[in-house]
Structure formats: structure tokens, C-alpha cells
């Protein structure tokens, strides 16, 4: 069977959502260059620039569960549109925040608006598809994300050389364009979703248990954090190790991102199709093991080609793990609480982002890179064993799906 065939069966709304995500991600320029903007254009210290990034990360961590609950209460598609519109307007206005206090206020506002999009997007996909189409749907959205991310930061680098204002204006314009895509293409199809006041499922939302009381969700989050710490070494300890310890150039590190992105764009959708019959737990467990093996093998890497081989290994882990995690959370979540489950999922991922870079660089500086990479192997294996042992949805119980039309 053609591994791309699953995409043809996806509903129109998933394609529209993916198109809007592509437009939005193609304008992702502000965050990759925010530190340079704060230090260069605003003349603040590197420490203050780091504080701005930490404040954005903390805001993203806090907003994820709240956004998930808002999805269940008011509708995930509605929240997604609101997030895109608010983000676009805030991006256009951000360069007006010139003082230190105003910069902090603008950063928090941007984090609240922008980071509400992900739980809403994931909840919307979960409402639209189910069963064997779940992983292809999430793979298609990830394809859109990675295609967009291959464009945005590259264009942003050229624009930043002319004026930092351009990256805010273009980033804001693409957010508004993505909002327009959703608004125009799905006009008339938005309907009351699960948990929205007045909907038939609102009483059920009160009857089912909260996400943080679901033992399957708690075990999943516990399994996610160790491999999340491993994953985020690619933006922290890994570049430092490559440049400082292996003597590779920063441009070589940048090319490794190209390998990762190109593999995902070309292979993830067919790869997801060929493993469609595999249980979520098996895919997640194997993905974690590949993550640990790929990063752990950096202890043996000596040059650009051997480092590239490690990237190939953990990229295969990424292609297995991420769509399967999204599908697993959607599968175990009650339909009326899917936003809440996705919000908690994103919060745990955010916690990994806050913990991973700090812990990885600390271990490398205090104990050395070999200890760090051996530790990533161990963490990957631990997460893999925990993911493999996760319980699934009880037999005979099929989650309800909610179309948007």
C-alpha cells in the first residue's frame, strides 16, 4: 500500500489546519532572534536577554494547561483563531516596547497569545480524526511545522541584518494570514464543541475525571519528562559540545538542523503510514530508545560525519515518538476533556524544555561530556521502558469524535 495514501482520507479541515500552520510557521522569526534583538537593538545585557527568554518559557509553561481548559470550554478552533489574531497584533506592536518594564510586559503578553495555539491545534486535530487516521493527521501537521520552520528562521536572518523591525512585522503578518486562512476556509463550519456552554457534552465534561487524576496520563507524563530532557540537548549541550570539544564550526551545527528537518519532511508521513498498525506504546518506546541511542552515541563521535550519523538515529526516534505521543494522549482523553489533556501534555513538554538545557550544560561542565551522553542513553532507555508499559484505552470503549461542520 502507498504509505502516503492515509493522507488522502484525511478530512478537509485537517488540510486547512495544516495550511494555516505552514503559513504561521513560515513566519517564525522573532523567537530565534529575540536574544539578538534585546542585546543589539535595545542595548540590554546578555543576562537580561536570557531573562526575557526565561520569562517567555515560564509563560508558555503556565499557559498550556489553562489553554487546554479554555479549549474544552469555548472550543479549540475558536481559541486557535483568537491566538493567531492576538499574536499577529502583538508582533506588530512589539517594537514599540523600548523600556525594560514594557519589554517584560510585552514578552508575557506574547507568550500568553502565541503559546495558546499548540494545545488548541492538537485538540482540534483530535476532534477531527480518530483511529488509524490519528497518526497520519498529526504527521501532516508536523510536516507543515517543519516546512515552515525551514523557511522562517532563514529569512529572518537576512531581514535582521537590515532591521529587526522587519522580523516582527513579517512574523505578525504571517500570524494574521494564518488566522485569515482558518477564518475564510472554515467559515460556517465552526460549531459548538465538546464542553462549550450549552453543548450536549457539557454535563459529561463535569462527570469525567480531570486529566491530572487519570493514572494513564500521569504515567505518560512521567515517561515523557526523561526523554524530553534528552531531546532538548540539541539546543543546549550539543552545540556547545560540537564547537568547544569537537572543534566543529557553528555552520556545521546549523547543517545538522537541515538533516533533521529534511528527513522529517521527506520521510515522516510515509514512515507513519508504514507503522500505522503498531500500538502507540511500541512506537513511543522504540522512539525513546532511538533518542537515547542517538544522543548517547555522541560520546563516540569524532567528526562531522559521525555526528551526522547520530542525528539520523535520533531523528528516526523523533518521527516515531512525536506523532505517537500526540495520538496516545488523544486516544486516552475523553472527548469533552481533550483540550485539558493536550494542555497538560504541553505543560510537561515545557517543563522538559526548562529542565533539559540547564541540567545538560551543568552535567557537561561539572562531570564532562561522556557522563552527559551516557546519561542521555540511560534516560532514553528508562523512558522507553515506561512508554512500552503504558496502559491503553480499555477494550470496547471508543472515544467520541466531534466534527467541526
Amino acid at each position: 500500500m502507498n504509505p502516503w495514501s492515509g493522507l488522502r482520507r484525511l478530512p478537509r479541515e485537517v488540510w486547512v489546519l495544516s495550511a494555516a500552520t505552514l503559513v504561521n510557521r513560515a513566519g517564525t522569526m522573532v523567537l530565534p532572534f529575540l536574544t539578538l534583538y534585546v542585546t543589539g537593538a535595545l542595548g540590554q545585557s546578555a543576562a537580561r536577554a536570557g531573562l526575557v527568554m526565561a520569562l517567555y518559557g515560564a509563560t508558555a509553561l503556565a499557559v498550556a494547561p489553562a489553554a487546554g481548559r479554555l479549549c474544552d470550554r469555548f472550543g479549540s478552533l475558536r481559541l486557535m483563531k483568537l491566538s493567531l489574531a492576538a499574536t499577529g497584533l502583538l508582533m506588530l506592536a512589539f517594537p514599540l516596547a523600548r523600556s525594560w518594564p514594557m519589554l517584560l510586559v510585552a514578552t508575557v503578553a506574547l507568550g500568553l497569545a502565541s503559546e495558546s495555539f499548540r494545545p488548541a491545534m492538537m485538540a482540534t486535530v483530535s476532534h477531527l480524526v480518530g483511529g488509524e487516521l490519528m497518526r497520519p493527521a498529526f504527521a501532516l501537521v508536523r510536516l507543515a511545522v517543519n516546512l515552515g520552520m525551514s523557511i522562517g528562521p532563514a529569512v529572518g536572518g537576512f531581514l535582521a541584518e537590515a532591521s529587526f523591525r522587519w522580523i516582527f512585522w513579517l512574523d505578525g503578518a504571517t500570524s494574521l494570514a494564518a488566522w485569515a486562512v482558518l477564518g475564510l476556509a472554515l467559515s460556517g463550519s465552526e460549531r459548538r464543541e465538546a464542553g462549550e456552554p450549552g453543548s450536549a457534552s457539557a454535563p459529561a465534561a463535569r462527570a469525567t475525571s480531570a486529566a491530572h487524576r487519570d493514572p494513564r496520563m500521569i504515567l505518560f507524563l512521567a515517561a515523557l519528562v526523561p526523554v524530553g530532557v534528552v531531546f532538548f540537548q540539541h539546543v543546549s549541550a550539543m552545540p556547545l559540545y560540537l564547537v568547544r570539544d569537537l572543534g566543529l564550526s557553528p555552520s556545521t551545527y546549523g547543517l545538522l538542523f537541515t538533516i533533521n528537518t529534511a528527513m522529517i519532511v521527506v520521510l515522516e508521513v510515509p514512515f507513519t503510514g508504514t507503522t500505522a498498525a503498531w500500538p502507540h506504546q511500541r512506537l513511543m518506546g522504540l522512539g525513546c530508545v532511538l533518542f537515547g541511542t542517538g544522543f548517547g552515541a555522541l560520546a563516540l563521535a569524532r567528526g562531522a560525519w559521525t555526528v551526522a550519523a547520530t542525528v539520523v538515529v535520533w531523528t528516526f526516534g523523533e518521527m516515531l515518538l512525536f506523532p505517537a505521543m500526540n495520538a496516545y494522549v488523544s486516544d486516552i482523553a475523553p472527548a469533552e476533556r481533550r483540550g485539558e489533556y493536550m494542555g497538560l501534555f504541553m505543560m510537561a513538554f515545557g517543563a522538559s524544555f526548562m529542565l533539559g538545557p540547564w541540567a545538560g550544560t551543568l552535567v557537561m561542565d561539572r562531570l564532562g561530556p561522556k557522563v552527559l551522553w551516557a546519561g542521555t542513553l540511560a534516560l532514553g532507555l528508562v523512558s522507553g521502558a515506561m512508554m512500552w508499559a503504558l496502559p491503553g484505552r480499555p477494550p470496547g470503549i471508543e472515544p467520541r469524535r466531534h466534527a467541526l461542520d
Side-chain angles (χ1 to χ4, degrees):
M1 186 180 74
N2 183 351
W4 293 83
S5 61
L7 297 185
R8 292 198 294 268
R9 294 184 290 149
L10 293 176
R12 168 182 171 274
E13 291 89 348
V14 174
W15 287 95
V16 172
L17 175 60
S18 299
T21 301
L22 173 59
V23 172
N24 185 40
R25 290 299 180 181
T28 301
M29 301 173 189
V30 168
L31 274 184
F33 295 96
L34 188 56
T35 300
L36 295 178
Y37 171 74
V38 172
T39 56
L42 300 185
Q44 300 289 343
S45 66
R48 282 195 164 186
L51 180 60
V52 168
M53 295 300 294
L55 183 61
Y56 185 93
T59 304
L61 180 65
V63 78
R69 292 189 182 95
L70 288 174
C71 287
D72 295 331
R73 184 173 179 80
F74 299 107
S76 54
L77 181 60
R78 184 173 299 164
L79 182 62
M80 200 162 37
K81 291 179 181 179
L82 178 62
S83 170
L84 289 171
T87 299
L89 295 175
L90 285 167
M91 287 288 188
L92 297 177
F94 200 98
L96 300 176
R98 306 291 297 179
S99 67
W100 176 243
M102 287 302 297
L103 177 63
L104 297 181
V105 171
T107 299
V108 171
L110 184 63
L112 289 172
S114 179
E115 295 302 321
S116 297
F117 179 81
R118 280 188 224 179
M121 180 266 290
M122 294 170 68
T124 301
V125 174
S126 301
H127 284 304
L128 291 170
V129 296
E132 62 182 8
L133 292 181
M134 183 73 71
R135 287 202 294 258
F138 280 117
L140 178 63
V141 172
R142 275 179 45 80
L143 174 63
V145 169
N146 282 280
L147 277 174
M149 290 296 291
S150 68
I151 298 170
V155 174
F158 290 104
L159 293 178
E161 293 181 3
S163 172
F164 277 106
R165 288 179 179 269
W166 280 104
I167 65 175
F168 288 98
W169 292 342
L170 190 54
D171 203 331
T174 54
S175 294
L176 293 175
W179 166 75
V181 169
L182 287 181
L184 294 175
L186 298 182
S187 61
S189 68
E190 188 176 77
R191 48 155 284 182
R192 295 184 174 201
E193 296 180 60
E196 186 174 354
S199 71
S201 59
R206 292 189 291 271
T208 54
S209 298
H212 65 273
R213 295 194 183 99
D214 187 338
R216 298 167 302 175
M217 189 64 180
I218 298 303
L219 290 172
F220 169 76
L221 297 178
L224 165 63
V225 171
V227 75
V229 168
V230 174
F231 173 67
F232 285 114
Q233 299 312 309
H234 81 282
V235 294
S236 55
M238 180 180 169
L240 185 61
Y241 175 67
L242 298 185
V243 175
R244 186 186 68 182
D245 296 338
L246 296 187
L248 302 179
S249 66
S251 61
T252 301
Y253 169 66
L255 288 174
L256 296 175
F257 272 96
T258 304
I259 295 174
N260 171 260
T261 303
M263 285 183 63
I264 291 172
V265 168
V266 174
L267 297 177
E268 181 165 308
V269 170
F271 198 45
T272 302
T274 58
T275 58
W278 293 22
H280 302 322
Q281 295 91 325
R282 185 187 304 175
L283 289 168
M284 293 188 295
L286 182 55
C288 291
V289 171
L290 289 175
F291 260 120
T293 303
F295 280 96
L298 282 171
L300 306 176
R302 292 294 178 268
W305 287 106
T306 50
V307 171
T310 69
V311 172
V312 170
V313 172
W314 63 257
T315 298
F316 273 108
E318 182 178 352
M319 291 189 289
L320 285 172
L321 178 63
F322 284 11
M325 285 197 303
N326 296 334
Y328 177 78
V329 174
S330 179
D331 205 32
I332 67 172
E336 61 276 357
R337 286 191 179 272
R338 206 163 277 130
E340 181 182 340
Y341 274 68
M342 290 298 182
L344 199 60
F345 173 26
M346 288 292 97
M347 186 179 73
F349 212 73
S352 300
F353 177 73
M354 295 186 69
L355 176 63
W358 167 78
T361 52
L362 181 66
V363 170
M364 189 164 66
D365 282 345
R366 297 278 181 88
L367 303 176
K370 290 189 179 298
V371 174
L372 170 64
W373 303 129
T376 60
L377 174 60
L379 289 175
L381 294 177
V382 168
S383 280
M386 294 175 69
M387 291 286 191
W388 198 288
L390 285 173
R393 178 167 28 86
I397 298 179
E398 292 296 330
R400 286 183 293 135
R401 304 291 164 191
H402 295 270
L404 297 179
D405 53 13

